[in-house]
Amino acid sequence: MAAVTVLEAVRGALAEAMERDERVLVLGEDVEAGGVFRATDGLAKRFPGRVIDTPLAESSIIGVSIGLAHYGMRPVAEIQFADFIHAGFDQLCSEASRWCYRTCGDAWLPMVVRTPWGGGVHGGQHHSQSIEAYYGHMPGIKVVVPSFPADYRSLLLAAIDDPNPVLFLEHKRTYRLIRQELEGAPAETVIGRSRIVRRGDDVTVIAWGLMLHESLAAAEQLAAEGIGCTVVDLLSVQPLDRETICEAAKATGKVLIVHEDTLTGGFGAEIAATIAEHAFEFLDAPIRRLCGPDVPAMPYHHAMEAFFMPDRERIAAAVRELAAY
Amino acid sequence: MASATNSETAGGAHPGYPLTRAQLLQMYRYMVLARRLDERMMTLQRQGLAAFVIAGVGQEAAQVGAAMALRPGVDYLAPYYRDLAVNLVFGMTAREAMLNALGKRDDPNSHGRQMPAHWGNRERRVVTQSSVVATQLLHAAGIALGARLRGEELVVFASCGEGSTSRGDFHEALNFASIHRLPVIFFVENNGYAISERTEKEMAVPHVADRGRAYGIPSAVVDGMDAVAVYQTVKAAADQSRRGGGPHLIEAKCYRLWPHSSDDDDTRYRPRAELEEWAKKDPLVVLRGRLMEDGVAADGELAQLEAEVEEEVREAAQWALRQPDPAPEDALGYVFKEGG
């Protein structure tokens, strides 16, 4: 079997889910024509009536999905860019996340909201955003952030099968950049687990999305220099796999958290706090965060974009500093 | 009880009415029950036994008239917080209403997790609602779309106050439902006030119905103080919607006879003369007068019905006060649904 891209893994999982369960529907802007990233390419023809174009209105997409899910369908909504999801924040935060809680389980919502996030495509301030910190702060919604095609496939299928709202974040820069042979590749099927993808003795790096791949590239480079990295693919923001995070932190005693999102209040803060609370005695250095700078959004020009985003060189530099601490 | 009110009226309609005598009495009974429940809840609040009340006093005709035009068990409700009477028609009992008012553990709506009057009951097809207004209208569109895809013939009754019609979700829901010609009845209970703001501060057109027409939705204005008129209007719209006629908007012009909630002082913004004028059109008084005038029921029969309801509400309140409260740690749990 040939290696597949992230995008092909997503598209394949959607088709697989629609094939095996006729309650599964896809809705969003431009999805009938295949979507702006082509994630739904060919689905409208293959599953007539089950791929539904919506008006350009994110609150509608999420609010209607809530209704569909409550009724017993399994909607998979696409928000064209994560940056635009906030118009539906109310529907996610005030409604979807509390549906089960506020009825004591009398009602629940098997729904998925997929959306491309992250920078690196010259998308400027409104096509580059990281949103995991906003939505990871909301018990009642699961937030999934895969990095490898095999996990994209298995976790999207798990998200569609889940009886709860799942926000499924797809890093847009990796859509066509990252390929993987699915057969034999590790594929997480349970939402809420992280995975240690590389083991080394000196420094633990925790990342997700494009930054996970940059971290692995840095780890490869550092190995040649004699610095060993343990690398954690976070996979899920909510629920957070505190056990695996702490196990990885204890393995080296030195932790670097890398994310594209801005530093203050970014999800790295929650991870750092978790390690500080539960693995303090094992630490040999302060927990470090390598993140976007505290400016409102990622700027457009490629020079400023590159400045904003951490990369393998900066990750390697941060690891060297920690290793030497 | 609820299903009896929705049986076909062919042959049995009372002269001059679209409903049988039994249905008309049932209509009046629901209205009285809603009123007595609201009054009792407010008494409990004043006694310090309930924390908060948000009532539908003045809107009973709109609510009962509309709900009796629907099919409980088949149609969905996406109600808003004043819709106690709508819920009664859909099967909520006086005891359940009191459990809800007191935030008791066994309240079927939210088991004490939401403020009172935030309805929801999956089995009765009442969609859980929040305090955020107009969000439920999009849920209604989604349910209607699901029913369409599955081929189930039903309507979704989505109600709100006129204040909600300024929110984006109202407009998005009308737009979506109209594009897909979904079976949704948007029922706007225009009671004249969004807390202290009169409708002139909420919209620059005279009627909410004007807004509906902008989305290509047939939109009607009906006298919301007249239960029978509301019944007829909603029935005609629902019958059309059910058969693929697309969404309808109905604006029931009514009046909030009480302050916004138990925490509100309406003397700060509402002229007493206006209130007194509307009180003359109290929907319970109006319907009672009509039922006697048109020979549907005699004064004695109605008085007996009222006494029965009074007793039902008194008993429900006494019973509910004795029911268990949630335990503090009941705040945990049900964050996620287990299994698939």
Side-chain angles (χ1 to χ4, degrees):
Chain A
M1 199 193 270
V4 302
T5 61
V6 166
L7 192 61
E8 287 162 348
V10 168
R11 191 190 298 137
L14 287 173
E16 207 176 321
M18 293 181 86
E19 189 66 57
R20 72 182 184 199
D21 185 347
E22 63 178 19
R23 296 171 301 174
V24 178
L25 311 167
V26 165
L27 68 159
E29 296 158 15
D30 305 301
V31 292
E32 286 185 34
V36 295
F37 287 103
R38 319 301 305 156
T40 57
D41 204 13
L43 295 180
K45 198 172 170 201
R46 190 166 158 195
F47 304 102
R50 291 167 60 195
V51 178
I52 301 162
D53 270 348
T54 64
L56 205 168
E58 289 75 12
S59 192
S60 291
I61 296 169
I62 295 168
V64 165
S65 295
I66 290 172
L68 283 165
H70 181 82
Y71 181 72
M73 297 302 191
R74 301 231 161 203
V76 183
E78 177 177 302
I79 299 295
Q80 202 158 74
F81 286 87
D83 309 67
F84 305 133
I85 199 171
H86 309 309
F89 188 89
D90 199 20
Q91 286 288 355
L92 279 173
C93 167
S94 308
E95 304 292 341
S97 75
R98 306 173 193 198
W99 210 259
C100 180
Y101 182 77
R102 76 190 187 203
T103 62
C104 279
D106 182 48
W108 61 95
L109 297 174
M111 62 183 274
V112 178
V113 179
R114 298 175 37 245
T115 191
W117 67 285
V121 298
H122 314 316
Q125 302 200 12
H126 299 289
H127 300 79
S128 304
Q129 211 179 319
S130 300
I131 63 166
E132 68 274 10
Y134 295 129
Y135 297 90
H137 183 59
M138 207 179 283
I141 291 187
K142 299 184 180 182
V143 182
V144 181
V145 281
S147 300
F148 284 102
D151 289 316
Y152 269 98
R153 178 187 166 276
S154 57
L155 286 171
L156 183 50
L157 290 172
I160 294 169
D161 282 343
D162 202 290
N164 298 287
V166 180
L167 181 58
F168 193 83
L169 301 179
E170 303 168 3
H171 198 291
K172 67 174 84 69
R173 176 71 183 102
T174 68
Y175 265 153
R176 293 179 174 84
L177 181 73
I178 302 299
R179 288 175 181 274
Q180 188 185 33
E181 187 87 39
L182 295 187
E183 203 162 317
E188 183 55 64
T189 56
V190 177
I191 294 172
R193 282 189 195 152
S194 300
R195 185 195 303 129
I196 296 173
V197 289
R198 184 185 176 109
R199 289 190 187 268
D201 295 335
D202 300 310
V203 175
T204 296
V205 183
I206 302 171
W208 52 96
L210 179 65
M211 290 303 111
L212 187 272
H213 296 290
E214 290 297 307
S215 298
L216 284 171
E220 196 61 32
Q221 193 181 319
L222 290 159
E225 300 171 22
I227 299 173
C229 290
T230 287
V231 180
V232 178
D233 183 350
L234 194 69
L235 292 172
S236 173
V237 161
Q238 169 80 265
L240 186 60
D241 184 355
R242 294 191 156 87
E243 204 174 312
T244 300
I245 288 169
C246 289
E247 181 201 324
K250 289 173 186 175
T252 65
K254 295 177 177 179
V255 179
L256 173 69
I257 302 158
V258 187
H259 61 61
E260 279 176 52
D261 196 7
T262 50
L263 178 84
T264 303
F267 207 76
E270 181 61 34
I271 296 170
T274 295
I275 295 167
E277 274 189 309
H278 302 291
F280 182 77
E281 296 87 350
F282 295 85
L283 292 180
D284 296 320
I287 300 166
R288 277 217 52 197
R289 288 178 289 162
L290 184 62
C291 310
D294 278 336
V295 296
M298 196 177 297
Y300 170 68
H301 190 276
H302 63 85
M304 291 191 286
E305 183 186 63
F307 177 85
F308 185 104
M309 292 178 73
D311 58 17
R312 58 193 67 184
E313 279 74 34
R314 269 186 272 169
I315 294 168
V319 170
R320 280 186 207 105
E321 273 181 37
L322 267 179
Y325 186 89
Chain B
M1 198 161 79
S3 57
T5 66
N6 290 276
S7 60
E8 290 305 319
T9 57
H14 191 84
Y17 285 89
L19 296 158
T20 64
R21 189 184 104 86
Q23 286 172 318
L24 287 165
L25 287 173
Q26 187 64 64
M27 178 178 263
Y28 180 64
R29 191 177 198 289
Y30 279 130
M31 289 168 60
V32 175
L33 179 58
R35 178 70 61 91
R36 295 291 168 266
L37 282 167
D38 273 340
E39 288 168 350
R40 182 63 58 130
M41 288 171 192
M42 196 59 97
T43 302
L44 292 171
Q45 197 272 341
R46 295 300 186 237
Q47 292 171 339
L49 296 167
F52 179 77
V53 177
I54 193 153
V57 171
Q59 298 176 217
E60 296 92 343
Q63 293 179 10
V64 174
M68 284 184 67
L70 304 171
R71 297 183 183 174
V74 175
D75 296 336
Y76 274 82
L77 294 183
Y80 88 122
Y81 47 78
R82 293 201 195 279
D83 282 337
L84 169 63
V86 178
N87 277 278
L88 294 174
V89 178
F90 265 58
M92 179 180 286
T93 65
R95 282 183 167 195
E96 288 171 341
M98 280 299 168
L99 289 175
N100 176 259
L102 298 168
K104 291 290 186 178
R105 185 192 72 187
D106 298 332
D107 162 37
N109 296 280
S110 80
H111 305 269
R113 286 186 167 190
Q114 292 220 80
M115 294 176 87
H118 290 54
W119 319 111
N121 189 311
R122 188 177 177 86
E123 201 184 325
R124 289 183 190 140
R125 298 200 156 187
V126 180
V127 185
T128 171
Q129 57 158 114
S130 73
S131 304
V132 183
V133 300
T135 48
Q136 76 274 20
L137 307 179
L138 282 167
H139 309 157
I143 290 166
L145 179 60
R148 152 86 54 79
L149 291 166
R150 195 176 276 175
E152 192 183 2
E153 197 180 277
L154 53 75
V155 296
V156 186
F157 178 83
S159 58
C160 63
E162 83 290 348
S164 304
T165 70
S166 294
R167 287 199 96 228
D169 280 0
F170 170 82
H171 296 270
E172 290 195 18
L174 263 60
N175 190 42
F176 193 95
S178 190
I179 288 169
H180 292 278
R181 295 186 60 73
L182 297 174
V184 182
I185 304 298
F186 294 102
F187 187 72
V188 181
E189 300 174 33
N190 185 344
N191 65 15
Y193 285 89
I195 305 190
S196 72
E197 291 191 22
R198 298 170 61 90
T199 45
E200 303 91 85
K201 290 187 178 178
E202 292 286 341
M203 56 192 201
V205 290
H207 308 293
V208 173
D210 298 333
R211 295 178 153 182
R213 290 181 198 110
Y215 296 97
I217 296 178
S219 301
V221 176
V222 62
D223 178 2
M225 305 302 259
D226 180 343
V228 177
V230 173
Y231 169 84
Q232 276 177 308
T233 306
V234 175
K235 183 82 166 62
D239 286 350
Q240 274 188 33
S241 263
R242 221 182 278 286
R243 292 193 303 263
H248 283 254
L249 185 148
I250 296 158
E251 177 184 8
K253 302 271 194 192
C254 49
Y255 193 77
R256 200 189 74 203
L257 289 170
W258 281 12
H260 167 69
S261 73
S262 53
D263 292 341
D264 179 39
D265 173 11
D266 65 330
T267 61
R268 291 179 299 125
Y269 56 82
R270 186 157 68 170
R272 293 300 91 180
E274 176 190 297
L275 185 58
E276 282 157 23
E277 207 49 46
W278 276 96
K280 290 178 194 160
K281 299 180 210 166
D282 183 325
L284 272 67
V285 177
V286 169
L287 184 61
R288 194 183 202 284
R290 268 182 75 179
L291 294 180
M292 291 201 300
E293 213 169 286
D294 296 335
V296 178
D299 179 54
E301 190 179 2
L302 295 174
Q304 192 191 330
L305 177 155
E306 288 154 3
E308 282 167 16
V309 170
E310 183 80 40
E311 175 53 24
E312 182 180 343
V313 170
R314 193 198 61 76
E315 189 279 336
Q318 289 309 310
W319 174 84
L321 283 165
R322 293 193 305 270
Q323 299 310 302
D325 289 312
E329 61 274 19
D330 285 347
L332 302 174
Y334 298 109
V335 175
F336 291 113
K337 182 80 175 172
E338 301 298 326

